[in-house]
Amino acid sequence: MPKNFETVSHENRSFEPPKVFAKEARIGSEAAYQELYQRSIADPEGFWAEAAQDLHWFKRWDSVLDSTEAPFYKWFDGAQTNICYNCLDRHLENGLGDRVALHWEGEPGDQISLSFSDLHAEVSRFANVLKKLGIGKGDRVAVYLPMIPELVISLLACARIGAVHSVIFGGFSADSIRDRVLDSKTKMVITADGGFRRGKILELKKIVDEGVAVCDCVQNVLVIKRGGEFDIDCPMTKGRDLWYEDLVDEVDATCPAEPMEAEDLLFLLYTSGTTGKPKGIMHTTAGYQVFTYLTSKYVFDLKPDDVYWCTADVGWITGHSYIVYGILQNGVTQVMYEGAPDFPNQGRFWEIIERYKVTTFYTAPTAIRAFMKWGDDWLAEKDLSSLRLLGTVGEPINPEAWMWYHAKVGAERCPIVDTWWQTETGGHMLTPMPGATATKPGCATVPFFGIEPDVLTEDGESVEAGILAIKQPWPGMLRGIYSDPQRFKETYWCKWGGKYYFPGDGARKDEDGYYWILGRVDDVVNVSGHRIGTAELESVFVEHTDVAESAVIGIPHEIKGQGLIAFVTVIDGREFDDKLRQELVAMIDKSIGKFARPERIVFSHDLPKTRSGKIMRRLLRDIAEGRELGNTTTLADPGVVKNLQVQFEK
Ligand code: WTA
């Protein structure tokens, strides 16, 4: 079992929802949660149909769930709707046009506030520009932007006209852009001249140029000026590249939202799996819409006066579901910040909370661990009394970090929602209900409505600690892997004969029925909340002509949660040296992005293998973590590990 098991199995502190919070909460008691949960499981279709009624539909559904072609489930089949309409137009119709939708703050300090009416106009203009450039229903549009308002605007504009967005996180390299663009046959790439990160300008357009140089499918690159008084060098290719600001003046701010079929593709988001090739996760319109709407509403206990802030980048699923779609559908004001948490100093986040009077703060455990390291003084000077709810996402949170978050940021007054979910699930799956669930540090606690989890053995037997499984389909679930239905079935639905969804995480169920996530059971590593497949790095290393073989593993890391260690063997006659090490690092930067750099690259003469030639990663983990070696009797050559231990300690 993964390492976290030992830490969390001793954790027995429990915190009741604060009374003041519970009194006002949407779900204000354990009994209220239980009642609604039981209803959602007994009659999921009735439950989800009722939730859907809050939203706007051009045409009502014929059936809520259609399982005839499972696991290719259909939700709200027959319905027509538009998620952008539900994020914007619906609020304008309800008289909320003047409410601030987005308080945006750039890293250098520039600020913009957009009301729902402003956002509606911006999105409509953007959508008209897209249409003018020949983008329509079903066309794939890649978005490679810094955290500027246009990132939200461009996604909503795509959704408004039925184009399929595929966001590529701004930390990815040119090669990653190329692979994603080619896989999805992207017609347009939206990017910016640059963006800010820790005081430096990231020249995104130049990375796009390199990435799409060989992509014939790309007809246009639409370039946004980051804005402000910054002059960013940005070469433009004639006939292909266009400045957004040159086009926007020629269109008006009226663009009706296109009625979309329930199962029309809304977006693709590529994520790492166990092979070298990232998967294009498919999310469709109606189910994702209802799921992100409802999870946001209950898990963040959203109220009209809230000021919500999620620190994730829109380049990841958290930003899609809980910056763009879930939050805007609830009509709540939010803060969006472009840059690093430690620029110009390590108090930046607390300053932002104070400035905008943030009520709901959603961040990652890796950030919390960094704040702890930076010291409490940064918080002490700031007024954080506006906060009423805290959340975490993306990786297991260690109890120490949870306790610090609870005491120092939440002043023991704010419930913490530790939300477990995935790119594939579209939204929250396991999470406390902030006004109802007693929380335990490090525990994702209980299922969201309509979600039926279990902990199973490989053979499907229900056990206390084992593999997490999800029994029923839910509206926000992925609908497939782009152009690879077989991989979709095999990856997620084959483990237990199609009866359960397999998320790839280990879990433990405690005596109160709470679920503790124990980390991945596959070869996916979670570095600072970013999913990285070890096979992705391995396939990059072996492209080097001098590398014979490689094995990459994840090990615990104090701040990042997990770090990567790469073991590399070279061909006969080649010496290990720093030059080779640098070449390998450069290859990772180029193929994936700097964020995927391993902590260490360890050269080895050989890798520990079974007699049938399988690399024994378990032993590599033992070596890297300085543990007593497990069973080595199945090794083909027991001498290999000794040698590796020596190399590792060098
Ligand atoms: C991990 C991020 C423990 C998990 C939303 C999952 C978590 C993977 C938690 C998905 C949590 C996410 N506690 N582990 N609260 N949230 N994970 O697709 O291993 O980037 O499978 O989605 O992150 O990562 P992804």
Side-chain angles (χ1 to χ4, degrees):
M1 263 303 133
K3 190 82 192 304
N4 199 32
F5 184 61
E6 291 158 29
T7 329
V8 296
S9 59
H10 301 304
E11 182 56 54
N12 50 21
R13 284 169 289 199
S14 169
F15 296 86
E16 288 299 324
K19 285 207 174 56
V20 185
F21 187 97
K23 217 171 120 218
E24 304 287 326
R26 288 181 180 275
I27 309 283
S29 68
E30 174 63 18
Y33 163 74
Q34 280 300 344
E35 199 212 306
L36 201 49
Y37 180 72
Q38 295 309 338
R39 185 139 60 91
S40 75
I41 297 300
D43 175 21
E45 297 193 37
F47 175 83
W48 290 113
E50 199 182 310
Q53 274 163 15
D54 289 355
L55 302 171
H56 171 270
W57 302 84
F58 293 108
K59 180 170 168 275
R60 210 184 137 87
W61 50 91
D62 301 324
S63 66
V64 177
L65 172 63
D66 177 350
S67 305
T68 42
E69 289 168 52
F72 299 94
Y73 296 98
K74 289 187 188 137
W75 284 89
F76 302 104
D77 200 32
Q80 286 187 335
T81 188
N82 186 295
I83 195 167
C84 177
Y85 192 103
N86 277 306
C87 287
L88 301 174
D89 307 53
R90 196 166 61 88
H91 306 311
L92 268 50
E93 284 162 14
N94 292 337
L96 301 177
D98 291 340
R99 180 179 291 171
V100 172
L102 210 59
H103 285 298
W104 175 81
E105 186 164 305
E107 193 184 72
D110 35 351
Q111 296 173 16
I112 296 172
S113 290
L114 296 171
S115 67
F116 278 94
S117 293
D118 297 335
L119 195 56
H120 181 264
E122 293 290 336
V123 167
S124 301
R125 277 194 208 100
F126 206 112
N128 280 333
V129 168
L130 293 179
K131 281 208 265 191
K132 208 172 156 177
L133 296 175
I135 298 295
K137 247 187 199 175
D139 288 335
R140 271 83 58 211
V141 174
V143 179
Y144 187 69
L145 285 173
M147 282 284 283
I148 55 177
E150 286 81 357
L151 179 45
V152 174
I153 292 166
S154 61
L155 266 50
L156 291 168
C158 286
R160 194 162 186 87
I161 62 171
V164 175
H165 57 74
S166 163
V167 182
I168 304 170
F169 167 61
F172 276 114
S173 65
D175 286 6
S176 299
I177 297 176
R178 181 199 58 211
D179 293 349
R180 285 156 173 75
V181 162
L182 290 178
D183 187 74
S184 60
K185 297 182 192 62
T186 294
K187 210 165 156 185
M188 174 188 277
V189 181
I190 300 173
T191 189
D193 48 357
F196 284 88
R197 186 80 190 175
R198 211 159 278 129
K200 289 209 188 89
I201 293 174
L202 296 176
E203 296 183 335
L204 296 177
K205 170 62 166 51
K206 289 186 181 163
I207 303 172
V208 168
D209 284 347
E210 201 189 323
V212 303
V214 294
C215 304
D216 292 339
C217 51
V218 174
Q219 294 175 2
N220 290 116
V221 175
L222 186 60
V223 190
I224 291 153
K225 273 211 164 80
R226 156 63 179 76
E229 69 274 24
F230 312 101
D231 201 13
I232 303 172
D233 180 38
C234 186
M236 299 290 275
T237 302
K238 244 200 157 143
R240 187 196 68 183
D241 301 352
L242 300 158
W243 285 107
Y244 176 70
E245 52 168 29
D246 292 345
L247 299 165
V248 69
D249 288 342
E250 297 166 16
V251 297
D252 63 28
T254 311
C255 174
E258 196 70 35
M260 301 300 293
E261 302 296 327
E263 287 297 341
D264 275 344
L265 194 55
L266 174 65
F267 68 83
L268 295 175
L269 186 58
Y270 284 81
T271 191
S272 297
T274 49
T275 72
K277 191 172 171 275
K279 311 172 269 197
I281 301 298
M282 296 163 68
H283 280 290
T284 58
T285 303
Y288 178 82
Q289 163 177 294
V290 174
F291 197 61
T292 51
Y293 164 72
L294 202 76
T295 46
S296 301
K297 173 171 156 178
Y298 284 129
V299 176
F300 299 125
D301 190 51
L302 292 175
K303 304 277 173 57
D305 293 337
D306 273 330
V307 179
Y308 166 94
W309 182 24
C310 167
T311 67
D313 192 292
V314 173
W316 307 107
I317 191 68
T318 303
H320 283 61
S321 299
Y322 300 114
I323 293 179
V324 184
Y325 293 115
I327 306 304
L328 290 173
Q329 282 195 87
N330 277 278
V332 164
T333 299
Q334 67 179 310
V335 172
M336 181 177 179
Y337 170 59
E338 177 187 29
D342 54 353
F343 190 87
N345 61 49
Q346 294 165 344
R348 184 65 181 266
F349 274 18
W350 318 123
E351 194 183 304
I352 292 175
I353 291 176
E354 185 179 68
R355 177 154 42 250
Y356 299 100
K357 301 197 168 38
V358 170
T359 60
T360 312
F361 182 58
Y362 193 36
T363 196
T366 187
I368 298 169
R369 289 189 292 264
F371 301 143
M372 285 172 77
K373 198 175 127 207
W374 295 339
D376 301 352
D377 288 353
W378 291 110
L379 294 97
E381 310 160 0
K382 298 290 177 332
D383 178 6
L384 305 182
S385 61
S386 56
L387 289 171
R388 66 178 197 97
L389 174 61
L390 304 175
T392 71
V393 56
E395 44 170 331
I397 181 164
N398 45 314
E400 298 80 347
W402 194 101
M403 288 303 297
W404 183 88
Y405 200 31
H406 169 73
K408 305 289 175 185
V409 183
E412 300 181 2
R413 179 189 74 239
C414 306
I416 297 178
V417 288
D418 173 354
T419 59
W420 174 86
W421 59 293
Q422 309 179 295
T423 305
E424 292 89 337
T425 70
H428 302 144
M429 301 292 280
L430 296 173
T431 169
M433 281 297 143
T437 314
T439 49
K440 303 181 187 184
C443 183
T445 72
V446 295
F448 187 73
F449 304 124
I451 306 300
E452 212 178 339
D454 205 343
V455 178
L456 303 178
T457 60
E458 291 279 346
D459 300 330
E461 194 192 325
S462 198
V463 282
E464 187 198 325
I467 307 165
L468 184 64
I470 308 292
K471 197 163 177 190
Q472 304 208 19
W474 65 101
M477 63 194 290
L478 78 163
R479 298 301 197 272
I481 295 176
Y482 195 67
S483 69
D484 203 347
Q486 194 55 29
R487 189 175 175 197
F488 166 66
K489 272 203 207 160
E490 282 166 9
T491 310
Y492 304 107
W493 300 99
C494 279
K495 198 168 208 58
W496 299 288
K499 288 206 203 96
Y500 296 84
Y501 166 79
F502 166 62
D505 278 283
R508 180 173 74 92
K509 197 173 174 180
D510 74 11
E511 58 286 359
D512 296 321
Y514 279 25
Y515 293 87
W516 298 76
I517 300 296
L518 307 175
R520 302 287 304 190
V521 293
D522 55 10
D523 293 323
V524 172
V525 178
N526 200 322
V527 180
S528 300
H530 301 163
R531 257 169 86 164
I532 300 173
T534 51
E536 278 175 76
L537 277 87
E538 289 163 5
S539 60
V540 173
F541 289 138
V542 295
E543 273 173 31
H544 195 293
T545 46
D546 291 343
V547 170
E549 207 171 26
S550 140
V552 176
I553 54 157
I555 57 155
H557 186 284
E558 202 190 339
I559 303 287
K560 299 177 182 173
Q562 282 189 294
L564 296 159
I565 303 286
F567 294 88
V568 171
T569 63
V570 288
I571 54 168
D572 285 346
R574 168 79 205 213
E575 279 300 306
F576 314 138
D577 54 20
D578 268 350
K579 186 168 161 281
L580 180 56
R581 185 176 270 119
Q582 278 159 17
E583 283 166 13
L584 294 178
V585 170
M587 285 175 81
I588 295 295
D589 290 358
K590 181 169 180 309
S591 300
I592 308 175
K594 285 200 174 69
F595 68 93
R597 279 186 186 180
E599 300 301 310
R600 277 190 70 188
I601 300 177
V602 182
F603 292 116
S604 57
H605 292 288
D606 210 346
L607 292 170
K609 288 191 194 141
T610 60
R611 282 179 204 105
S612 59
K614 203 169 165 281
I615 297 174
M616 293 182 73
R617 289 157 187 285
R618 181 176 53 75
L619 287 180
L620 293 175
R621 278 192 283 266
D622 288 345
I623 292 169
E625 291 177 44
R627 267 199 305 261
E628 188 113 334
L629 293 188
N631 186 354
T632 55
T633 51
T634 52
L635 273 180
D637 174 6
V640 170
V641 285
K642 278 269 158 304
N643 200 329
L644 263 178
Q645 276 173 318
V646 173
Q647 285 288 339
F648 195 82
E649 269 141 37
K650 262 191 187 168

